[in-house]
Amino acid sequence: MSENKTIHKPVLLNEVIEGLFLQKDDIVLDGTVGGGGYLTEICSKLNGKGTVIGLDQDKLALARVEKNLLPKIKCNLHLVNKNFRNLDLALNNLGIKKVDKIVFDLGISSDQLDNSGRGFSFQKDEPLIMSLKKDLSESDLNASEIVNTWEEENLADVIFGYGDEKFSRKIAKEICKSRKEKKIETTFELVEIIKRAVPKWYLFKKTHFATKTFQALRITVNDEIGSLKEGLVKGFDRLGVGGRFAVVSFHSLEEKVVKSFFKELKKEGTCILINKKPIIPSSEEIKENPRSRSGKLRVIEKI
Ligand SMILES: C[S@@+](CC[C@H](N)C(=O)[O-])C[C@H]1O[C@@H](n2cnc3c(N)ncnc32)[C@H](O)[C@@H]1O
């Protein structure tokens, strides 16, 4: 899979578009283009006016949008292959000082989960890479490096801290034991190791026993929490007064960062919360797209 059509279904699409309160001349920054679901709708609302800047750290996501969506939409659009933690650089390069609207839809897309070949899913036997970047340089971290070289204590801390996995110590111990015999190279090898480390009853829980470890490794590889904190600060800095910032998060760690950042701004008196409680998908949306179930949308307006 490379530039084929996206299989990603946008989460909370109507709620995001409503929350952004788009005006025709807006300059909009979509920090996480993914399958281009939000982007298409934003462009359609601007109807050929305004400007849209679309960032994604995955080159393939942008290539897919460029090939499949661009020919169909009328939009003054700039696609930039950058992490949103560097949104200031992207805007500087375009000569844009302030934007009117920003949206971040965090985590990975279904295209990455199901078709990237980069080891995001414990249901597919793939190399343990887990990086959102398509082309990795020598200095970029990958999941194989973490499980094969990090000390047991650090591994356990990450699996606990970013995965909230209660068997983190046992899993870290089993990883270190296994790698002495053979380098851990694939997702299925890691799943087998986790299976050996956790108690039997844990294997039959509704949530797959490898979910939390995989989440923790992905967050670590991509420094997702660090990027989010930096992206929020830089985004708010480049947002004009009256501008809106919408963020969709998918797990409690992200949600905590977004909630406390917005709460702090409100305390300072620099924003109002458009929704006091996070907006969550309707039961119809969850039925149609089960992956939407943990989505939470928060929107603020700069004052
Ligand atoms: C959930 S998908 C976005 C889906 C999109 N809103 C849509 O409607 O199709 C998340 C996308 O954001 C990208 N991404 C995640 N974190 C990022 C970051 N810090 N900077 C830039 N892109 C990021 C991922 O590569 C992925 O393509």
Side-chain angles (χ1 to χ4, degrees):
M1 163 93 177
S2 56
E3 293 165 27
N4 294 334
K5 284 206 173 98
T6 182
I7 55 163
H8 185 80
K9 289 188 188 151
V11 174
L12 288 164
L13 175 64
N14 294 335
E15 293 81 351
V16 165
I17 297 299
E18 198 175 309
L20 287 175
F21 196 55
L22 294 163
Q23 309 297 311
K24 286 207 165 39
D25 290 329
D26 274 349
I27 301 178
V28 185
L29 177 88
D30 179 349
T32 52
V33 168
Y38 291 0
L39 194 84
T40 307
E41 202 51 33
I42 291 167
C43 287
S44 130
K45 289 271 179 240
L46 299 191
N47 197 20
K49 300 215 174 84
T51 302
V52 182
I53 306 105
L55 309 183
D56 203 296
Q57 56 179 334
D58 186 353
K59 232 160 115 172
L60 269 187
L62 298 180
R64 203 180 290 118
V65 164
E66 216 161 327
K67 182 175 171 219
N68 298 306
L69 296 179
L70 275 197
K72 294 185 202 147
I73 53 179
K74 202 169 88 187
C75 198
N76 183 15
L77 174 65
H78 304 276
L79 292 176
V80 187
N81 181 211
K82 273 200 191 311
N83 190 309
F84 58 57
R85 77 188 317 164
N86 298 318
L87 64 86
D88 51 338
L89 302 181
L91 293 176
N92 291 349
N93 287 341
L94 294 166
I96 297 173
K97 286 202 173 67
K98 293 278 177 197
V99 298
D100 302 298
K101 310 287 158 66
I102 303 179
V103 60
F104 291 172
D105 181 17
L106 303 173
I108 56 175
S109 68
S110 299
D111 302 302
Q112 289 160 329
L113 189 65
D114 295 346
N115 291 324
S116 72
R118 281 179 258 164
F120 291 113
S121 168
F122 46 76
Q123 285 168 334
K124 301 210 158 196
D125 199 13
E126 293 175 348
L128 267 180
I129 303 168
M130 291 200 202
S131 176
L132 289 173
K133 276 197 194 168
K134 175 69 183 101
D135 306 314
L136 296 185
S137 66
E138 289 260 312
S139 59
D140 284 318
L141 191 58
N142 64 59
S144 170
E145 185 183 335
I146 297 178
V147 294
N148 285 296
T149 65
W150 283 25
E151 285 188 14
E152 184 177 326
E153 206 181 321
N154 293 349
L155 271 175
D157 286 349
V158 156
I159 297 171
F160 182 72
Y162 288 162
D164 200 20
E165 170 57 74
K166 59 167 156 292
F167 297 112
S168 56
R169 309 250 151 237
K170 285 196 159 68
I171 294 169
K173 194 167 180 188
E174 191 61 36
I175 288 175
C176 293
K177 191 174 147 211
S178 303
R179 74 189 187 195
K180 275 194 200 134
E181 288 154 25
K182 184 193 167 299
K183 188 174 175 203
I184 307 160
E185 286 172 303
T186 69
T187 47
F188 277 9
E189 285 169 9
L190 181 60
V191 170
E192 279 308 307
I193 291 166
I194 301 168
K195 195 171 179 181
R196 287 200 295 274
V198 300
K200 264 231 155 62
W201 61 265
Y202 202 60
L203 306 180
F204 303 103
K205 282 191 58 174
K206 203 168 149 206
T207 307
H208 190 283
F209 58 87
T211 306
K212 294 180 170 188
T213 305
F214 270 62
Q215 174 188 300
L217 289 172
R218 196 200 79 210
I219 292 176
T220 310
V221 168
N222 298 291
D223 187 20
E224 290 181 23
I225 300 302
S227 295
L228 177 58
K229 288 181 178 164
E230 214 171 318
L232 287 171
V233 171
K234 288 185 175 171
F236 191 72
D237 180 51
R238 302 299 281 254
L239 193 65
V241 171
R244 288 200 177 184
F245 202 151
V247 185
V248 179
S249 62
F250 288 88
H251 56 76
S252 57
L253 269 178
E254 292 170 345
E255 153 79 348
K256 222 163 102 184
V257 172
V258 178
K259 185 179 169 185
S260 69
F261 180 70
F262 285 174
K263 208 169 140 192
E264 202 48 45
L265 294 175
K266 183 175 177 265
K267 219 163 101 189
E268 279 173 9
T270 50
C271 89
I272 51 167
L273 307 179
I274 296 301
N275 52 316
K276 295 214 167 51
K277 289 236 155 76
I279 297 170
I280 56 172
S282 63
S283 46
E284 291 81 54
E285 177 169 1
I286 297 174
K287 212 159 126 199
E288 209 179 287
N289 179 17
R291 281 182 185 164
S292 70
R293 67 185 175 278
S294 38
K296 284 187 177 164
L297 166 66
R298 289 180 184 274
V299 188
I300 56 156
E301 185 171 301
K302 190 164 183 170
I303 53 174

